[in-house]
Amino acid sequence: MNLQSMSGLASSLQEKYLPDCRKTIVAVQEKFRPEKCKKSFENITFQNKVALRRSLKTSSSPLGSCVNTSVDFKPLPEDYGGPRLMEGNKMDEDFVENLRLWYSNGGVLPSVLLYRVLQQAELSLRKIPTSLVEIQLEEEKIIHVCGDIHGQYKDLLNIFFLKGEPGRDALYLFNGDIVDRGPASIQCMVLLLALQAVYPDHVFINRGNHEAASMNIKDGFYKELMETYNDNFLFDLFQEVFSLLPAATLISDKVLVLHGGLSSVHDFNLEDIRRIPRGNGFQPDDNDLLCDILWSDPMVIGTGVEENKRGGGIMFGSDVTAGFLNRNNLQCIVRSHTEIHEGCTCIHPGCYTVFSAPNKQKGILGGVLTLHPTDTDKLRLEGFVFQQIL
């Protein structure tokens, strides 16, 4: 090979491989920038501290106690303009309102504040005695039942705009599936947990099938959390909070609200729901009854019980619903879990569905089902629909 040919070959190789070499060098330099190395080291140190505390804690201690927000995190920067906790690191009405505005403007809640919210949410939910919450509607009080939210923060705020703020005369029950699929699962879940902790007698949250680790890893919440905070223990703490959410809510002894539906358990009754375990990261896969309640679907036409194509729970007919209502002296059940075009509807006698994650592209409306007390022994159900906010 002559000199000219060698020179041409060298030029060709340089053109082919040099750009990739430069990209590799830049990537390595970026990865090992001092500030990034320091941040990674701090995260490893934090995770090690939490792991040690976790190994020493008793099973009865809150998981959130493994984090000491006073020493594990740096003080908030002076130019931080987001929500701040009141004295004693407690949440109040001002914190919730500022949190709502901060999220609306695209703000990210600092890790130290997110941990404090989750710690207080965990303590608040631990006060709930069983997996069945019971609410008695007083005269002239109403409760708005919302279905799946699925990380649609704008639509969550729109519900409050359209139906009113949580307060003494208007209660809210969110019937699970707050997270996954949508772009703002963190914002939706954190705001609702903060509201529940500040207004425990006015804001209630049931567990859905998406308040579970397997679904979060599959459908987006885990990815969103890691991209925003890169903190595996944070995911574990969310799972602990999810495991403390009740499986169902009974309103005025007449209307049972649960995420999916009924079970094939023989003579299934309210006491069965009360006995479902909670806490310690308990997952739906750990309990057949909980899996049924979170995953089951009603048949529009048909009777009996059939296999559910979702892979969890059952398909139950109108006769199953009628038998359950009769055994437990109930008026009806309200469930969510199913994307329906009408927002809220009656699937078969005694079984209503409400879904609150509208989708304009699919022609799906969001729904809210409001329960009113009456001068009879039954509650009045009122449906409301709304469109997606883009």
Side-chain angles (χ1 to χ4, degrees):
M1 181 181 292
N2 59 34
L3 186 61
Q4 186 176 1
S5 298
M6 292 179 65
S7 177
L9 178 60
S11 297
S12 176
L13 291 172
Q14 189 177 36
E15 289 178 5
K16 184 176 181 180
Y17 293 109
L18 188 57
D20 289 337
C21 290
R22 284 175 176 160
K23 288 180 182 177
T24 302
I25 292 170
V26 169
V28 171
Q29 288 175 335
E30 176 67 19
K31 184 176 181 180
F32 291 100
R33 281 169 54 192
E35 57 270 26
K36 284 207 167 186
C37 288
K38 182 179 179 182
K39 189 172 182 180
S40 298
F41 179 75
E42 288 175 348
N43 186 43
I44 292 171
T45 303
F46 170 72
Q47 296 293 331
N48 287 340
K49 278 195 265 187
V50 169
L52 176 60
R53 294 171 189 152
R54 193 172 185 175
S55 68
L56 297 174
K57 92 171 192 67
T58 63
S59 59
S60 60
S61 300
L63 184 61
S65 65
C66 295
V67 176
N68 186 337
T69 55
S70 299
V71 301
D72 291 340
F73 298 94
K74 295 178 181 178
L76 293 172
E78 293 183 4
D79 60 350
Y80 170 69
R84 293 177 181 269
L85 295 171
M86 62 185 292
E87 188 176 350
N89 290 327
K90 299 292 184 182
M91 289 186 287
D92 61 0
E93 296 178 12
D94 289 339
F95 176 83
V96 171
E97 182 57 30
N98 290 332
L99 176 65
R100 182 197 311 220
L101 293 173
W102 183 247
Y103 277 155
S104 297
N105 293 322
V108 174
L109 195 66
S111 294
V112 60
L113 292 181
L114 179 54
Y115 268 110
R116 286 171 181 165
V117 170
L118 292 177
Q119 286 171 334
Q120 291 182 47
E122 182 183 12
L123 294 177
S124 179
L125 292 171
R126 282 166 67 98
K127 294 177 183 177
I128 299 173
T130 75
S131 282
L132 179 65
V133 169
E134 301 182 49
I135 303 170
Q136 293 295 330
L137 284 184
E138 298 174 6
E139 188 177 354
E140 298 184 1
K141 270 193 177 181
I142 60 174
I143 184 166
H144 302 303
V145 180
C146 304
D148 305 37
I149 300 296
H150 278 311
Q152 296 182 202
Y153 187 70
K154 291 180 181 178
D155 295 305
L156 173 59
L157 296 189
N158 193 34
I159 290 172
F160 292 138
F161 174 76
L162 295 170
K163 303 303 291 181
E165 300 295 326
R168 297 188 178 222
D169 298 323
L171 283 62
Y172 276 90
L173 169 57
F174 291 89
N175 195 25
D177 279 13
I178 313 301
V179 300
D180 282 336
R181 296 182 180 163
S185 291
I186 296 172
Q187 293 90 324
C188 291
M189 195 74 235
V190 173
L191 178 62
L192 290 183
L193 288 174
L195 282 166
Q196 193 280 330
V198 173
Y199 305 105
D201 297 324
H202 302 100
V203 178
F204 305 87
I205 309 171
N206 280 345
R207 190 174 192 176
N209 64 300
H210 279 268
E211 278 71 56
S214 59
M215 298 303 294
N216 296 160
I217 292 170
K218 172 179 170 287
D219 281 350
F221 181 57
Y222 176 77
K223 180 181 179 182
E224 182 183 334
L225 202 60
M226 290 303 105
E227 288 179 348
T228 307
Y229 292 99
N230 189 30
D231 183 346
N232 280 299
F233 182 72
L234 198 53
F235 181 69
D236 289 348
L237 186 52
F238 266 108
Q239 295 307 314
E240 179 63 18
V241 170
F242 292 167
S243 75
L244 289 165
L245 293 172
T249 298
L250 179 63
I251 302 173
S252 295
D253 299 319
K254 285 299 176 184
V255 176
L256 181 69
V257 184
L258 67 180
H259 181 74
L262 301 179
S263 175
S264 58
V265 169
H266 181 65
D267 288 340
F268 173 45
N269 59 57
L270 297 179
E271 190 57 37
D272 293 326
I273 300 176
R274 290 188 182 96
R275 288 196 293 261
I276 293 175
R278 293 164 51 238
N280 292 316
F282 194 75
Q283 294 295 313
D285 292 342
D286 298 332
N287 184 279
D288 290 341
L289 178 56
L290 179 60
C291 188
D292 283 349
I293 287 173
L294 302 189
W295 280 93
S296 291
D297 292 288
M299 302 180 199
V300 177
I301 300 173
T303 59
V305 172
E306 295 181 3
E307 183 180 348
N308 195 328
K309 293 180 180 179
R310 292 182 189 260
I314 59 168
M315 299 289 295
F316 59 96
S318 57
D319 59 326
V320 177
T321 299
F324 176 79
L325 298 179
N326 184 59
R327 278 195 308 276
N328 294 280
N329 193 28
L330 297 175
Q331 174 184 340
C332 65
I333 64 170
V334 174
R335 41 91 61 184
S336 302
H337 192 45
T338 306
E339 193 177 63
I340 52 173
H341 285 81
E342 307 92 333
C344 47
T345 190
C346 181
I347 303 296
H348 61 229
C351 178
Y352 295 84
T353 293
V354 58
F355 189 82
S356 305
N359 187 313
K360 272 190 177 180
Q361 188 175 8
K362 293 182 178 180
I364 292 169
L365 295 171
V368 176
L369 203 57
T370 302
L371 277 58
H372 301 258
T374 67
D375 55 4
T376 71
D377 63 347
K378 292 188 176 181
L379 298 175
R380 178 170 66 88
L381 279 67
E382 176 189 17
F384 178 85
V385 297
F386 60 96
Q387 291 189 337
Q388 183 182 15
I389 300 293
L390 297 175

